[in-house]
Amino acid sequence: MSAAPGRIADGFRNAFGGHAPAVVVRAPGRVNLIGDHTDYHEGFALPAAIDREVQLAAAPRTDQILRVVSSVSDEPVNVELELGALAPTGRNRWHDYVAGTAWALAEAGHELGGADIAIGTDLPIGAGLSSSAAIEMGVARALCALGRIAWDTASMARVARRAENDYVGLGCGIMDQLAVGAGVAGHALLLDCRSLAVEPVALPSDLTIVVMDTGVRRSLAATEYDARRAGCDSALDAIRRRWPDVRTLRDADASQLEAVRGDLDPADRDAAYRRAAHVITENLRPTQLAAALDARDYAEAGRLVDASHASLRDLYEVSCPELDRITALARRTSGCYGARMTGGGFGGSAVALVASEASEAFAEDLSAAYDAAGPLTGSVFTCHTAGGVSVLESG
Ligand code: ADP
Ligand code: MG
């Protein structure tokens, strides 16, 4: 099932016996330009919604059943869910994201009716481009449109995050859901993950974002994520013993971390220090990159992006050989200002800031260079920024 609007409506008709959908919704993926592993410390991030998206066609039912068809594999896959019987599964099968979103909407006090939903996508899945947040926000948008439930981006991002954290059982901050919800074409988004304020930052047209999906999919992210959080928590506890006003690492600075270094448990002192050092320094970069983009200082933008990658690799330790290799090759390829892994890490995608006039050649040259040293199973593509989740057609 392709993601083209007409196609998803056709997919819906084929799946559900010929009648037309009542709404068609699109939900973009996102890249994060800088500020990774800061959102769950209530810090800053600078993502952008992109022109790869999940599309959903939906119609109401008179009962309390959700029938859902998706093109996650080559063949459409069906599932039937009873709204009244939904309860967290702690599993991450594709339909757990759909069910989890319906569950989280109900938990937030919204009354839902049954629906038929067809889902298609042209967003790489599991590539660190947030197909999970796109499906959550897309399902939420469709169910809200059908149920005439008022839409508020920040509240719905919270609902979608709850689906992923509490129903699917995967820890994550709110960056992905907020970026998918709040995207603005031509802009990155300076997110404050404490207040959920979103400030659009214009992306100059002579700068292009190139996505570099390594094709590597690793499942260790969930346990490693918990370990990174634990390291940060030890450092935060030590800081809070001296500065009780510090609520999260977002409120701490490098000198405070330095001051408590000796207080940290010797058994994991080095790891806790480095995890927190990443968060504290990375948390400054989104605002700095926004300022560099504003000033069109691409050398500075590239320096920040490269420094962020080094911090994720060396301090937070969430990169992997393939992400290190593709970003190193990108930096040596003509037109590139800077390159870094994007999203959670351990595989998935990296992102490069590239001079627009060189971007198509960059994508080709980089793919060839990567391929020469080992097969590139993912893809390299230029992208445009896009608006947030929206209703395309409503009957
Ligand atoms: P990412 O968000 O980086 O793409 P995740 O592992 O967080 O990776 O989420 C990927 C999961 O989201 C998939 O394994 C699948 O369960 C679900 N998903 C994403 N897109 C779709 C889709 N079009 N249809 C059904 N499920 C999807
Ligand atoms: Mg995800």
Side-chain angles (χ1 to χ4, degrees):
M1 217 178 285
S2 141
R7 287 268 198 86
I8 192 66
D10 288 346
F12 179 93
R13 282 190 200 90
N14 291 338
F16 297 114
H19 65 290
V23 294
V24 175
V25 164
R26 54 167 281 285
R30 67 99 192 89
V31 290
N32 189 23
L33 298 183
I34 212 152
D36 266 313
H37 292 280
T38 48
D39 59 349
Y40 52 91
H41 300 288
E42 300 185 355
F44 293 94
L46 190 72
I50 59 171
D51 55 351
R52 297 284 189 114
E53 62 192 27
V54 172
Q55 289 200 340
L56 305 94
R61 295 172 58 88
T62 51
D63 56 18
Q64 288 287 297
I65 304 283
L66 284 185
R67 281 197 304 175
V68 195
V69 176
S70 167
S71 59
V72 266
S73 67
D74 290 342
E75 292 296 316
V77 204
N78 308 291
V79 71
E80 258 194 47
L81 306 159
E82 218 180 295
L83 283 173
L86 297 179
T89 59
R91 297 182 66 183
N92 61 348
R93 300 160 299 183
W94 71 271
H95 50 84
D96 290 307
Y97 292 85
V98 178
T101 303
W103 171 83
L105 279 167
E107 287 282 298
H110 300 296
E111 257 182 51
L112 302 179
D116 289 338
I117 307 177
I119 304 174
T121 188
D122 68 0
L123 182 60
I125 290 175
L129 303 175
S130 260
S131 69
S132 60
I135 195 165
E136 292 151 10
M137 291 296 278
V139 167
R141 191 72 200 86
L143 291 177
C144 286
L146 294 180
R148 309 215 181 279
I149 297 166
W151 182 261
D152 169 71
T153 301
S155 321
M156 290 304 166
R158 278 198 197 93
V159 164
R161 180 190 180 188
R162 182 136 196 244
E164 190 147 343
N165 290 172
D166 297 345
Y167 191 102
V168 173
L170 288 176
C172 66
I174 200 160
M175 167 178 65
D176 295 353
Q177 292 81 5
L178 199 52
V180 167
V184 179
H187 293 73
L189 310 163
L190 183 58
L191 304 185
D192 178 335
C193 297
R194 172 171 283 163
S195 68
L196 305 195
V198 178
E199 190 187 312
V201 175
L203 283 173
S205 61
D206 56 356
L207 194 67
T208 291
I209 297 169
V210 180
V211 173
M212 308 176 286
D213 175 11
T214 59
V216 174
R217 307 284 185 264
R218 292 209 175 100
S219 55
L220 48 78
T223 42
E224 294 295 332
Y225 173 90
D226 291 342
R228 299 300 178 277
R229 273 192 95 132
C232 289
D233 286 347
S234 329
L236 178 63
D237 287 347
I239 293 172
R240 281 173 55 84
R241 281 197 288 278
R242 295 202 200 185
W243 290 277
D245 288 349
V246 169
R247 274 168 54 194
T248 69
L249 285 179
R250 172 220 170 103
D251 305 311
D253 63 30
S255 65
Q256 290 171 319
L257 178 61
E258 215 50 64
V260 301
R261 194 169 188 159
D263 303 352
L264 298 171
D265 179 354
D268 68 357
R269 175 176 294 154
D270 182 53
Y273 176 85
R274 283 185 294 130
R275 306 309 180 230
H278 164 74
V279 176
I280 289 170
T281 49
E282 180 77 353
N283 196 41
L284 303 172
R285 293 189 182 107
T287 321
Q288 294 168 345
L289 181 56
L293 292 172
D294 217 37
R296 299 198 175 201
D297 185 346
Y298 302 149
E300 170 68 0
R303 193 190 63 73
L304 288 163
V305 162
D306 292 348
S308 170
H309 184 82
S311 182
L312 288 157
R313 181 191 61 208
D314 302 335
L315 298 178
Y316 222 62
E317 294 184 283
V318 290
S319 188
C320 66
E322 295 84 355
L323 284 168
D324 291 341
R325 180 150 75 91
I326 210 160
T327 49
L329 285 170
R331 287 181 207 112
R332 293 202 288 272
T333 304
S334 179
C336 182
Y337 296 113
R340 63 186 285 282
M341 53 160 279
T342 189
F346 301 109
S349 300
V351 68
L353 294 181
V354 180
S356 293
E357 58 186 18
S359 61
E360 293 301 336
F362 169 88
E364 265 176 45
D365 293 349
L366 176 66
S367 300
Y370 192 98
D371 243 353
L376 176 64
T377 51
S379 57
V380 176
F381 56 91
T382 59
C383 70
H384 291 106
T385 56
V389 63
S390 61
V391 178
L392 294 177
E393 288 169 24
S394 176

